[in-house]
């Protein structure tokens, strides 16, 4: 039986503060400024599983105070103001103009326990000089990462060793040894602990059981192609049984079966799992002769990413910040680029640093959100390149200067993930700032 759909809607205005439309200014705004009430923010949190999630067990205990609220002025390269909701003043003063509000909870991490990441953005509204804004409409926040839980069938739980675990990885290339995974043991299953993984379009999920069952070493893998954000993937492992099996055979092998339930947390309904692969469709460690690539190249070739001299895309580049950094990306497929992502991995470009510059750690150059278009252009990135067959990236001296200021002597990585009808190409530009 499918669980009932539960929509948790909360008007943030009812938590700490309520005021009427004629509430006076708390501080007199300067000329050209207007104000917005804290009570104007209304969040609809779409998670039908929230009552069972790691946030809290009841609606009243959901930590809405920990939501981050960011006001973004239309056309600006940096946020106008940002608050933890619990610390936000009852009235916020802003320059007149068009704005939107982004509400987020949690961090969008590669892999972490009990770490749901919710995000939503309001429609554009206007702040008018000398006026108070008391309603901006609804901000719908949805789960933006991927939820995974593991279950062991009762008989398997009895027979498996305490050290047995299932390692889960979610990434564009799950065979990459550098990809962070989470290891689910009996403890995580018994305590209902879920893992949350960063979503990038086209990512796959692989869950691998490793351990001892009835004294024998067992390994089994379940792979799921192109998992989606906002979904909960519950993977169940159970002992494989077969009638007539000789249980006394000392050379017998123990196998595991797997099943997957995919639930959309917003609607709390199961989704067809057509994309789930059997073990036989995935390379196994004991079969090194089987090809590793489940997506063989398509004639015509995937997109090409090359460095423009003196940049070598396959090496660490020593940069002093005075010369722009160039790359050329081309597509030979009909329809040009369909996806074009840049992921920034830098020890110094923290979320706050990126936010202050009008950027984020994940940049969509194919269909670029309006609030990122201007700063991306200023920093030398192309925007809205979906359908194009060529894009030139020239990381400007402005961005390199910022890297020098915050991270001189460090290496900063810019990972490009580019997709067209012929496939996906990933390259990482590595810049070591002198």
């Amino acid at each position: 039986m499918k669980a009932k759909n539960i929509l948790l809607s909360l008007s943030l205005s009812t938590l700490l503060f309520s005021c009427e439309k004629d509430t006076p200014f708390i501080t007199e705004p300067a000329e050209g400024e207007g104000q917005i009430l804290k009570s104007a923010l209304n969040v609809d949190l779409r998670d039908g599983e929230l009552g069972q999630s790691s946030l809290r067990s009841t609606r009243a205990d959901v930590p809405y105070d920990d939501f981050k609220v960011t006001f973004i002025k239309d056309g600006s390269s940096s946020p106008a103001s940002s608050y933890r909701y619990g610390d936000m003043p009852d009235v916020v003063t802003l320059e007149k103009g068009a704005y939107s509000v982004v509400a987020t909870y949690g961090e969008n991490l590669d892999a972490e326990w009990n770490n749901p990441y919710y995000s939503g953005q309001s429609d554009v509204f206007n702040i008018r000089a000398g006026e108070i804004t008391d309603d901006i409409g609804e901000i719908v926040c949805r789960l933006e990462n991927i939820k995974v839980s593991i279950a062991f069938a009762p008989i398997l739980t009895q027979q498996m060793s305490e050290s047995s675990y299932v390692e889960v990885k979610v990434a564009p290339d799950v065979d990459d040894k550098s990809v962070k995974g989470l290891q689910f043991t009996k403890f995580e299953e018994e305590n209902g602990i879920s893992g949350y993984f960063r979503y990038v379009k086209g990512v796959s999920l692989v869950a691998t059981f490793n351990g001892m069952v009835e004294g024998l070493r067992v390994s089994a893998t379940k792979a799921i192609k192109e998992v989606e954000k906002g979904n909960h993937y519950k993977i169940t492992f159970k002992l494989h049984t077969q009638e007539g099996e000789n249980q006394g055979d000392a050379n017998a092998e123990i196998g595991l079966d797997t099943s997957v339930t995919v639930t959309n947390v917003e609607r709390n309904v199961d989704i067809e799992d057509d994309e789930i692969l059997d073990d036989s469709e995935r390379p196994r460690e004991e079969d090194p002769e089987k090809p590793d690539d489940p997506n063989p190249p398509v004639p015509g070739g995937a997109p090409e990413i090359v460095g423009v001299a003196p940049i070598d895309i396959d090496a660490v580049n020593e940069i002093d910040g005075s010369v722009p950094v160039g790359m050329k990306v081309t597509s030979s497929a009909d329809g040009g680029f369909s996806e074009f992502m840049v992921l920034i991995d830098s020890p110094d470009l923290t979320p706050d640093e990126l936010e202050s510059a009008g950027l984020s750690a994940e940049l969509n150059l194919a269909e670029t959100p309006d609030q990122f278009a201007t700063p991306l252009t200023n920093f030398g990135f192309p925007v809205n390149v979906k359908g194009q067959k060529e894009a030139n990236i020239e990381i400007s001296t402005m961005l390199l200067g910022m890297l020098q200021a915050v991270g001189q002597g460090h290496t900063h990585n810019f990972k490009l993930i580019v997709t067209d009808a012929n496939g996906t190409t990933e390259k990482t530009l590595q810049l070591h700032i002198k």
Side-chain angles (χ1 to χ4, degrees):
M1 178 183 296
K2 301 187 190 306
K4 292 182 179 178
N5 182 22
I6 304 170
L7 275 184
L8 293 185
S9 300
L10 181 71
S11 172
L12 293 177
S13 60
T14 63
L15 291 176
L16 296 178
F17 180 75
S18 174
C19 60
E20 301 295 329
K21 291 185 178 180
D22 58 352
T23 301
F25 291 105
I26 290 182
T27 58
E28 188 68 24
E31 185 177 353
E33 292 181 337
Q35 295 180 315
I36 182 170
L37 302 180
K38 182 177 183 178
S39 60
L41 308 185
N42 299 286
V43 169
D44 182 1
L45 183 57
R46 302 285 179 91
D47 190 336
E49 297 183 340
L50 192 57
Q52 305 168 24
S53 79
S54 63
L55 284 177
R56 290 294 185 268
S57 60
T58 65
R59 167 179 168 175
D61 291 335
V62 175
Y64 282 94
D65 276 358
D66 290 331
F67 267 73
K68 183 178 181 180
V69 177
T70 302
F71 293 88
I72 300 173
K73 190 174 185 180
D74 195 26
S76 175
S77 61
S78 59
S81 59
S82 184
Y83 304 91
R84 174 182 173 273
Y85 180 77
D87 301 326
M88 181 179 171
D90 295 330
V91 177
V92 175
T93 301
L94 298 167
E95 292 181 353
K96 68 178 181 179
Y99 289 83
S100 60
V101 174
V102 175
T104 59
Y105 175 84
E107 296 183 79
N108 196 15
L109 304 177
D110 290 336
E112 192 55 74
W113 301 111
N114 289 342
N115 182 56
Y117 173 68
Y118 298 100
S119 180
Q121 185 165 355
S122 73
D123 293 333
V124 174
F125 59 91
N126 289 310
I127 296 292
R128 295 180 174 85
E131 295 184 11
I132 295 177
T133 299
D134 61 1
D135 186 10
I136 64 169
E138 190 175 66
I139 305 172
V140 176
C141 284
R142 295 180 168 90
L143 184 67
E144 294 292 320
N145 50 4
I146 298 160
K147 180 179 180 179
V148 179
S149 61
I150 298 296
F152 302 113
I155 295 178
L156 176 58
T157 302
Q158 295 170 13
Q159 299 294 334
M160 61 190 275
S161 65
E162 292 298 324
S163 61
S164 298
Y165 64 90
V166 173
E167 182 175 47
V168 176
K169 290 185 175 183
V170 176
D173 180 7
V174 290
D175 293 317
D176 184 345
K177 301 299 183 184
S178 66
V179 173
K180 179 183 178 182
L182 297 177
Q183 294 185 357
F184 292 76
T185 65
K186 290 181 182 180
F187 176 83
E188 281 73 33
E189 188 224 22
E190 292 170 355
N191 290 276
I193 297 174
S194 298
Y196 289 80
F197 298 83
R198 184 193 301 272
Y199 169 78
V200 178
K201 187 174 178 60
V203 292
S204 298
L205 183 157
V206 170
T208 304
F209 180 96
N210 291 285
M212 302 292 292
V213 180
E214 295 183 342
L216 297 177
R217 173 67 60 184
V218 175
S219 178
T221 297
K222 174 60 70 177
I224 310 174
K225 295 190 301 183
E226 296 186 3
V227 293
E228 294 291 339
K229 64 183 178 181
N231 283 351
H232 175 191
Y233 296 84
K234 183 176 182 179
I235 306 172
T236 301
F237 286 80
K238 59 183 178 180
L239 278 174
H240 173 71
T241 58
Q242 181 177 351
E243 288 188 20
E245 222 172 38
N246 183 0
Q247 300 297 329
D249 187 351
N251 295 317
E253 293 185 356
I254 294 177
L256 299 183
D257 293 329
T258 55
S259 62
V260 180
T261 300
V262 185
T263 304
N264 181 278
V265 302
E266 177 177 343
R267 293 176 289 137
N268 205 17
V269 296
D270 292 344
I271 300 169
E272 294 297 327
D273 52 5
D274 313 355
E275 299 297 328
I276 298 172
L277 305 178
D278 293 327
D279 291 350
S280 60
E281 298 178 81
R282 178 172 172 77
R284 301 292 298 273
E285 292 183 10
E286 61 269 29
D287 185 12
E289 297 300 320
K290 192 167 183 177
D292 287 332
D293 186 5
N295 300 304
V298 177
E304 291 190 353
I305 304 174
V306 298
V308 176
I311 294 302
D312 183 349
I313 197 68
D314 297 313
V316 177
N317 297 270
E318 298 284 343
I319 301 295
D320 63 10
S322 61
V323 179
V325 172
M327 287 167 289
K328 184 175 183 179
V329 186
T330 56
S331 168
S332 61
D334 291 340
F337 306 122
S338 57
E339 300 290 338
F340 200 126
M341 296 293 297
V342 176
L343 310 182
I344 301 176
D345 179 12
S346 165
D348 303 293
L349 292 182
T350 63
D352 287 342
E353 286 286 349
L354 289 168
E355 186 176 78
S356 68
L359 301 177
S360 74
E362 296 183 11
L363 302 170
N364 185 346
L365 305 189
E367 297 176 278
T368 311
D370 291 343
Q371 69 265 29
F372 295 126
T374 298
L376 281 172
T377 301
N378 291 339
F379 286 129
F381 292 94
V383 297
N384 295 315
V385 299
K386 185 173 183 178
Q388 299 180 22
K389 292 196 171 185
E390 181 175 318
N392 295 306
I393 298 175
E394 186 176 280
I395 296 180
S396 67
T397 54
M398 182 189 305
L399 179 55
L400 294 175
M402 185 172 75
L403 291 176
Q404 269 192 318
V406 300
Q408 192 168 5
H410 295 164
T411 299
H412 311 272
N413 298 317
F414 295 80
K415 185 175 184 178
L416 279 65
I417 306 174
V418 185
T419 300
D420 64 13
N422 289 343
T424 298
T425 300
E426 297 182 15
K427 292 282 188 178
T428 299
L429 173 66
Q430 303 173 80
L431 302 179
H432 183 79
I433 307 300
K434 296 180 181 178

